[in-house]
């Protein structure tokens, strides 16, 4: 318990229709016996709750918010198989399950629940915010906007032909009872191919947590190519949306995020963060976290 910091943190288990999602519940120490507004949050592509997100959760809790920070199914402490498989639509459902859990708590004001997402989950919260009106506020940091557009920028020509063939072979193998094919998330893992190859991605993932397992299923890559969360952005309104966009983002490209923001309706706000995709968590943490905190305060506190 972190009572000296103004909050307590508890391990929690959430029944997601038979699969246990595990996470941390942060509760501010009450000055009044009243329920708190709440924030539900999770990481991006292959990320774990231990990787950089505790700083955000602690900051939100110290400012009066209950927070549920969780691992998706198939990752970290949560149950689910195949391990290290990322189905974006299933992760969207995991957000919904955790929102349901948060709304059931006596310490939480079920009418004041916000969601925070980053990178891949920055896309997830666009979908959830547009389709689940239990959500009263959305913060989307360096979000995935279009899986197909990102995929075409990263892989083309002969490499694309080879990749598409590998998807088909993996599906046939799995249908016959074989094990999934895996990629490393970043170079240096046990698998020759990796999802990301940049130096900043390598540092981000490998320094994030000792619990990080540097692998993801090939099907996760296939599923990402058809994931289009930006298509939902115009439907978030009238739920308030804050987008935090890195000025030099080549992972979830800056231009795609800015174009999507133009499609969003009011109330909305854009915060431009210096640097690249991974800088909001570290070098510009104060800027990214303060912007999110003020947005949540404005729209979740009475």
């Amino acid at each position: 318990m972190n009572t000296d910091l103004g909050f307590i943190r508890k391990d929690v288990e959430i029944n997601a229709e038979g699969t246990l999602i595990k996470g941390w519940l942060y509760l501010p120490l009450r000055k009044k016996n009243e329920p708190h507004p709440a924030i539900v949050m999770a990481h991006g592509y292959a990320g774990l709750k231990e990787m950089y997100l505790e700083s955000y959760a602690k900051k939100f809790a110290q400012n009066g918010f209950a927070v549920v920070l969780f691992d998706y199914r198939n990752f970290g402490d949560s149950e689910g198989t195949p391990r290290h498989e990322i189905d974006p639509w299933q992760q969207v459902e995991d957000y919904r399950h955790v929102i349901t859990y948060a709304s059931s708590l006596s310490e939480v004001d079920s009418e004041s629940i916000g969601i925070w997402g980053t990178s891949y989950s920055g896309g997830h919260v666009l979908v959830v915010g547009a389709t689940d009106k239990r959500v009263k506020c959305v913060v989307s940091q360096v979000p995935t906007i279009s899986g197909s557009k990102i995929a075409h920028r990263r892989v083309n020509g002969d490499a694309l032909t080879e990749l598409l063939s590998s998807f088909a072979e993996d599906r046939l193998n799995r249908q016959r009872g074989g094990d999934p094919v895996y990629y490393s998330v970043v170079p240096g893992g046990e698998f020759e191919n990796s999802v990301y190859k940049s130096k900043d991605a390598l540092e981000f993932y490998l320094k994030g947590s000792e619990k990080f397992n540097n692998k993801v299923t090939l099907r996760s890559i296939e599923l990402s190519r058809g994931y289009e969360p930006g298509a939902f952005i115009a439907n978030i309104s009238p739920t308030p949306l804050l987008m935090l966009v890195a000025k030099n983002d080549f992972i979830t490209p800056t231009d795609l995020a800015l174009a999507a923001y133009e499609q969003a309706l009011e109330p909305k706000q854009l915060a431009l963060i210096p640097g690249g995709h991974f800088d909001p968590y570290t070098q510009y943490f104060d800027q990214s976290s303060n912007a999110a905190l003020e947005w949540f305060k404005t729209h979740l506190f009475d």
Side-chain angles (χ1 to χ4, degrees), residues 181-192:
V181 172
Y182 283 89
Y183 270 41
S184 296
V185 178
V186 290
E190 61 180 301
F191 306 100
E192 179 180 357

Side-chain angles (χ1 to χ4, degrees), residues 15-289:
N15 179 13
E17 298 179 355
T19 300
L20 285 182
I21 293 174
K22 298 186 181 182
W24 294 324
L25 170 64
Y26 296 77
L27 291 172
L29 297 178
R30 296 185 179 190
K31 295 182 179 179
K32 296 180 180 179
N33 190 25
E34 297 176 352
H36 305 287
I39 299 166
V40 171
M41 56 188 298
H43 219 312
Y45 200 88
L48 307 177
K49 63 184 184 298
E50 290 85 0
M51 296 171 63
Y52 308 96
L53 298 197
E54 291 179 84
S55 297
Y56 289 94
K58 289 177 181 178
K59 188 165 188 171
F60 297 153
Q62 288 169 336
N63 283 274
F65 294 94
V67 181
V68 187
L69 171 57
F70 69 96
D71 284 329
Y72 303 108
R73 69 185 65 218
N74 307 340
F75 281 87
D77 295 327
S78 293
E79 295 180 347
T81 57
R83 298 303 293 173
H84 309 286
E85 180 150 290
I86 304 170
D87 181 336
W89 295 108
Q90 187 62 72
Q91 293 189 344
V92 165
E93 284 302 303
D94 288 346
Y95 260 96
R96 298 187 201 278
H97 288 305
V98 179
I99 291 167
T100 299
Y101 167 79
S103 68
S104 74
L105 299 174
S106 61
E107 298 93 341
V108 167
D109 179 356
S110 63
E111 297 300 315
S112 296
I113 295 178
I115 52 177
W116 181 98
T118 187
S119 194
Y120 214 39
S121 68
H124 299 346
V125 297
L126 299 179
V127 178
V128 178
T131 59
D132 192 329
K133 292 308 176 181
R134 294 177 298 175
V135 172
K136 299 303 189 290
C137 184
V138 179
V139 174
S140 175
Q141 177 172 288
V142 293
T144 293
I145 296 298
S146 171
S148 63
K149 290 181 180 178
I150 292 172
H152 284 300
R153 294 186 186 194
R154 291 181 182 169
V155 184
N156 50 48
D158 291 343
L160 176 58
T161 300
E162 183 178 342
L163 182 64
L164 296 178
S165 295
S166 70
F167 292 157
E169 292 169 4
D170 179 52
R171 284 188 171 274
L172 182 59
N173 179 60
R174 288 173 67 158
Q175 189 173 79
R176 291 171 173 172
D179 293 330
V181 172
Y182 283 89
Y183 270 41
S184 296
V185 178
V186 290
E190 61 180 301
F191 306 100
E192 179 180 357
N193 294 315
S194 64
V195 178
Y196 303 114
K197 297 176 173 59
S198 64
K199 181 180 178 182
D200 56 350
L202 181 68
E203 293 179 352
F204 177 82
Y205 279 99
L206 296 187
K207 292 182 179 180
S209 171
E210 293 180 355
K211 294 183 67 174
F212 172 68
N213 196 324
N214 187 12
K215 66 179 185 178
V216 66
T217 65
L218 176 62
R219 185 172 293 178
S220 303
I221 300 170
E222 181 184 12
L223 294 173
S224 72
R225 294 174 62 85
Y227 185 46
E228 301 291 324
F232 291 81
I233 198 165
N235 296 327
I236 295 173
S237 177
T239 303
L241 167 66
L242 169 67
M243 281 184 61
L244 297 120
V245 177
K247 292 182 179 179
N248 298 296
D249 194 333
F250 300 103
I251 301 295
T252 55
T254 303
D255 63 303
L256 297 183
L258 294 178
Y261 179 78
E262 292 301 314
Q263 299 300 313
L265 304 180
E266 298 289 349
K268 64 178 181 177
Q269 182 172 309
L270 175 67
L272 288 173
I273 307 295
H277 184 76
F278 301 103
D279 291 322
Y281 308 94
T282 53
Q283 184 178 359
Y284 298 108
F285 168 77
D286 286 344
Q287 189 169 336
S288 67
S289 61

